[in-house]
Amino acid sequence: MCHYSFKARFIFPVDRAPIAEGVLSVEGHHITQVARRTKSAVWDLGNVAILPALVNVHTHLEFSHLPQPLGNPGMCFADWVRAVLANRQEATGPEQSGRLSGPSPVVRGLSESLQTGSVTLGEVANTAWNEKDFEQVCPTGTIFFELIGLSETRIQELISTVLELIAAAKQAPTRWQIGFSPHAPYTASGSLITQVAKLAAIHKFSLAMHLAETRAEIDFLREGRGPLRELLEERGVWNSTCFQHPLRALDYLKILAEAPRALIVHGNYLDQEELQFLAKHSETMTLVYCPRTHAYFGHSPYPLFQALQSGVHVALGTDSNASNPDLNLLTDMRFARQQHPAVTGDQILRMGTLHGAQALSAADRLGSLSVGKRASWIAVELPERDDPDPHDLVFQSLLPVSLVVVDGKPVYAQGKMGAFLKKWREEAGTG
Ligand SMILES: [Zn+2]
């Protein structure tokens, strides 16, 4: 079995403090040692940081072909949803057939994720996905099948689909787990969410749901009025019997808490009581912060510090190219570091690695550089300067991920790591 040791200016194991001039040792697919020194021969990677591979817990890869976010920064959210729906229709319409060339948006998104260091994703998919794409390009994650339904007929159809997908996943498990994502409180009825949460508890799968994303959503839940109701009426799907106003995000949190794992996506406008609820359920519920998407809509400041202070379990997502220029989670981590100076670099690193792995039920093998875990790690170029907090060498910098290793195998390199990758592959006999 191949055994390698890699030395770096800093290693960030995440389960303990950063190690200067650290050495990561790997045998086959697994980590065997993380130490200051080792007796075995090492490959010195130089002025880089070795981090666990990143975990991006919220993507919609169907939009990965978009050259820029839809609409304009700060636009009305309901108008942005209209733009998303129009784009989706365009992408799947008959006039589009034959016009798309090159890899599919999903494959593009998976490749971009991998090349920027995210090797585990929480992907929301709303059409039949090609399992091979996911397995071949990106090693692991959870595909959350999106559920949108307000009418009784639609709800019954969706529940049948959920049961079919669960049966298929049990029969032929893949490296990608299946989960379900009731889209949002204004597009998925309380009855649908309740039924899916009960099934999640029985069949042990995870849920993800957009919640408390906009002020308009909070107002809609309370009063049943506003731009989101207008949007539903315009699309002919408004069903007043679905909603017993006044409602609030807490009502949905209580339903989602039944699932063995639930990702609460955005939560931009959760109040203190709701954050406390999440803190109380931090073993099974994760708040998902999408830093640059949050900024794109010009929301009120994100309650990240308050959430962390309260004990909420927080992970990070990029969301899609419809609201974020790219899928580079490291850029989102750096952006979050800038936006929230009271939140430490160590906390940001945890949110982008271990917390994400926990949220996707993958922390037994990923998310930290711990002995026995999979050897999935990245190297990030570091600036020449020193910093009292080594995390800021990674986060107060624009230097890229230059090497990505999955399960002990190098899968991507750029810059000077290109030559190193060649040497490594030659030595391993795979060059
Ligand atoms: Zn989303």
Side-chain angles (χ1 to χ4, degrees), residues 58-60 124 210 213 265-266 290 319-320:
H58 189 62
T59 59
H60 302 258
V124 178
H210 300 94
E213 184 170 4
V265 182
H266 301 308
C290 301
D319 214 333
S320 79

